[in-house]
Amino acid sequence: MSDYDILFNKAKKFHGHICPGIVLGTRLTIAGLRELGMNPNEPTHNLIVYMEIDRCGTDAVQAITGCSLGHRSLKHKDFGKFAATFVDTTTGKAVRVSILERNRAEHDKLNPKEVIKVLSEVPEDEILKIEHVRITIPKEDLPGFPVGKATCSNCGEQISDNRQIVVNGEVLCRNCAGESYYTVTGRT
């Protein structure tokens, strides 16, 4: 069994089924790790990955690298692009790998099994764009214990990693400062 097959099966098991996103996420991860000189079959404790989409391929990246939100080694930047930036925190070296959509119209004509086969076999340079990039990771975003803690003067909830906002001298969480993604409809 090839390295690709082993890693693809790991991603498939984590995700729960086979789909084009798992194929592309596997290929994207293999390329990103290779460019950083990392072995995808070994734990990567000095890796942070920024995902630009929250779809199937993200599960492949998480399954293969072991990076996760809980470990603060997987970051989500909601740009809506099937792309990931892999950062070696030891060397500072970073590479962004994105999916090229050149043949998307042709792939859309195929049935799902055919698409998966084509995407797994097509030459890498036909589906991936690899760019060496520079990225500065704020200390608040690094794995480890929280950097700075505050308490929101409005709701009383704790805010970690300097995510508070000061408005007219008051420390507020982003929700109370008007950046909330939810509306409270009741309390129990």
Side-chain angles (χ1 to χ4, degrees):
M1 192 177 280
S2 71
D3 267 358
Y4 169 81
D5 291 328
I6 292 166
L7 297 169
F8 172 74
N9 284 326
K10 190 175 184 180
K12 176 180 74 172
K13 182 178 178 185
F14 182 83
H15 187 62
H17 67 272
I18 298 172
C19 65
I22 293 300
V23 174
L24 293 171
T26 299
R27 297 207 54 196
L28 176 140
T29 304
I30 290 169
L33 294 176
R34 180 193 68 234
E35 292 295 313
L36 292 180
M38 295 181 173
N39 183 342
N41 296 304
E42 295 175 3
T44 51
H45 300 292
N46 56 332
L47 178 68
I48 291 179
V49 180
Y50 288 83
M51 288 300 305
E52 296 182 23
I53 198 164
D54 58 351
R55 296 211 168 259
C56 305
T58 303
D59 281 353
V61 172
Q62 184 173 349
I64 295 167
T65 64
C67 291
S68 71
L69 290 172
H71 288 118
R72 306 195 80 227
S73 55
L74 181 65
K75 310 291 185 184
H76 178 234
K77 296 290 186 186
D78 195 6
F79 291 180
K81 295 181 175 185
F82 200 139
T85 300
F86 299 80
V87 183
D88 182 332
T89 58
T90 303
T91 65
K93 188 175 175 184
V95 63
R96 182 178 181 272
V97 184
S98 59
I99 302 300
L100 297 173
E101 296 285 337
R102 284 188 202 134
N103 299 317
R104 182 64 185 255
E106 291 174 33
H107 296 161
D108 286 346
K109 296 174 189 173
L110 303 173
N111 71 47
K113 261 189 170 171
E114 291 171 323
V115 172
I116 289 165
K117 182 172 176 30
V118 166
L119 293 176
S120 66
E121 295 174 352
V122 69
E124 184 179 275
D125 63 351
E126 290 184 27
I127 60 166
L128 299 180
K129 179 169 72 173
I130 300 171
E131 304 169 293
H132 291 266
V133 299
R134 183 176 34 239
I135 186 167
T136 303
I137 303 172
K139 64 181 178 183
E140 292 87 3
D141 289 348
L142 291 170
F145 292 107
V147 176
K149 293 180 184 180
T151 302
C152 179
S153 61
N154 187 47
C155 69
E157 293 180 8
Q158 182 177 310
I159 310 155
S160 295
D161 297 311
N162 296 325
R163 301 299 200 257
Q164 69 272 12
I165 297 171
V166 178
V167 178
N168 297 326
E170 278 192 285
V171 173
L172 299 173
C173 67
R174 291 177 187 244
N175 293 336
C176 292
E179 296 180 23
S180 188
Y181 66 93
Y182 63 86
T183 302
V184 176
T185 59
R187 288 191 167 84
T188 56

